[in-house]
Amino acid sequence: MVVREHRRRGAAFAAVAVAGVVATGTGCSTSTGASADDRPGRDPAAVRGAADVLIAAGSSRARTSMEMAAGGTRVTIRGEGGYDFAKRMGRLRVVLPKDPAGTSEHRPITELLSPTALYMKNRGAGVPADKWVRVDSTDLRDGNLVTGGATDPLTAAELLRGARDITFVGEQDLAGTRVRHYRGVTDIGRAAKSAASYAREALAAAADGFGEDAVPFDAYLDEAGRLRKVRHRFNYVNQGRTFEVASTTLLYAFGVGVAVALPPEEDIFAGEIKM
């Protein structure tokens, strides 16, 4: 299959970037049945405002995990880096799983996340090692929730604007931080209508591209209302196959410096990508 880089919709990118993938979550909680009070991290409604709190926090480090399952095959893609919520830009190092035969590993992909585009280096598939692939996120059928093998952290929070049926599960310790665990379902179409302008078009595309609008989630907020961890479970249809996708984003070290410089135009690959 041959597609034109950044001009066609992102189904082909998703097929490669998420060559396999996730299954289930590692949900954990220590108590149930408690009620929330009015502090930022204790109000269930704070889940819907998680993106606003992250923007106010400025920046953080991020770890991502994307597990996918289709036709009995499961793979996990992991990423690590930083995100500037104020500028809506991030940088991740994404590690793909071994090939199905288990004989070789892909080189890690460097991904730059911006409000309108996803940039990938070491993309493979005929792209020179020193070139970047640029994909317009508004042209992606999944709104870049799945395509890059890592969900954009701020978009993951924006998706929670459509949250409903929010249930308080309990308090727990998460990497040394006390958090409150909430569970519910978010609606992609509803989130798109409520999202900030920078995320609205991408989420609207995702509402059309996913098999179901309803996305179950688990969200973990600290006492300040900052989103520390979120796990979404998608059903994504690509080239006639349905992928069950569980995307987890872990945020920590808030306020850390994050530098993201987009590549110059001459470093962006303008040829064809063979899939």
Side-chain angles (χ1 to χ4, degrees):
M1 176 181 183
V2 178
V3 298
R4 206 46 82 181
E5 182 272 320
H6 85 275
R7 295 206 197 299
R8 294 222 183 153
R9 294 196 176 266
F13 288 96
V16 171
V18 290
V21 316
V22 339
T24 55
T26 58
C28 44
S29 62
T30 57
S31 63
T32 59
S35 61
D37 61 30
D38 58 359
R39 281 180 284 177
R42 293 173 175 255
D43 179 6
V47 171
R48 289 189 285 269
D52 296 326
V53 178
L54 289 181
I55 292 171
S59 62
S60 78
R61 300 290 296 171
R63 292 195 185 101
T64 66
S65 173
M66 184 169 287
E67 308 161 65
M68 297 184 74
T73 300
R74 298 178 185 270
V75 300
T76 301
I77 301 169
R78 302 189 186 279
E80 185 167 2
Y83 200 99
D84 187 321
F85 300 106
K87 295 181 179 178
R88 303 174 182 89
M89 297 177 68
R91 183 184 184 97
L92 296 174
R93 180 180 183 271
V94 176
V95 179
L96 302 179
K98 290 184 178 181
D99 290 323
T103 56
S104 65
E105 292 186 357
H106 299 276
R107 294 178 62 188
I109 296 174
T110 299
E111 293 190 0
L112 304 181
L113 309 169
S114 76
T116 59
L118 166 67
Y119 297 81
M120 295 181 284
K121 194 172 185 179
N122 292 334
R123 175 62 180 74
V127 181
D130 62 340
K131 293 294 185 181
W132 292 83
V133 171
R134 180 187 184 279
V135 187
D136 186 338
S137 55
T138 62
D139 279 346
L140 295 171
R141 293 183 63 250
D142 69 318
N144 197 26
L145 293 173
V146 174
T147 290
T151 302
D152 180 302
L154 192 52
T155 303
E158 286 286 352
L159 187 56
L160 294 174
R161 292 192 190 274
R164 54 182 170 80
D165 302 329
I166 304 171
T167 301
F168 170 57
V169 178
E171 291 192 3
Q172 68 180 76
D173 182 87
L174 178 65
T177 298
R178 198 66 178 171
V179 297
R180 291 175 71 84
H181 176 189
Y182 296 96
R183 180 172 292 152
V185 176
T186 192
D187 184 282
I188 303 175
R190 179 179 172 182
K193 294 176 182 178
S194 304
S197 57
Y198 63 85
R200 197 169 298 144
E201 193 171 351
L203 287 177
D208 291 334
F210 279 91
E212 299 177 3
D213 247 12
V215 177
F217 71 85
D218 287 86
Y220 304 76
L221 276 63
D222 65 17
E223 289 290 333
R226 295 175 300 192
L227 187 66
R228 291 286 184 150
K229 179 181 177 181
V230 61
R231 185 176 183 86
H232 294 102
R233 291 176 292 282
F234 304 103
N235 282 320
Y236 183 62
V237 179
N238 181 42
Q239 297 180 340
R241 300 177 66 194
T242 298
F243 293 84
E244 296 177 5
V245 182
S247 176
T248 303
T249 301
L250 181 69
L251 303 174
Y252 61 101
F254 287 94
V256 68
V258 177
V260 181
L262 299 182
E265 193 66 30
E266 59 268 23
D267 289 345
I268 297 175
F269 184 64
E272 294 180 341
I273 300 174
K274 298 179 180 179
M275 312 301 287

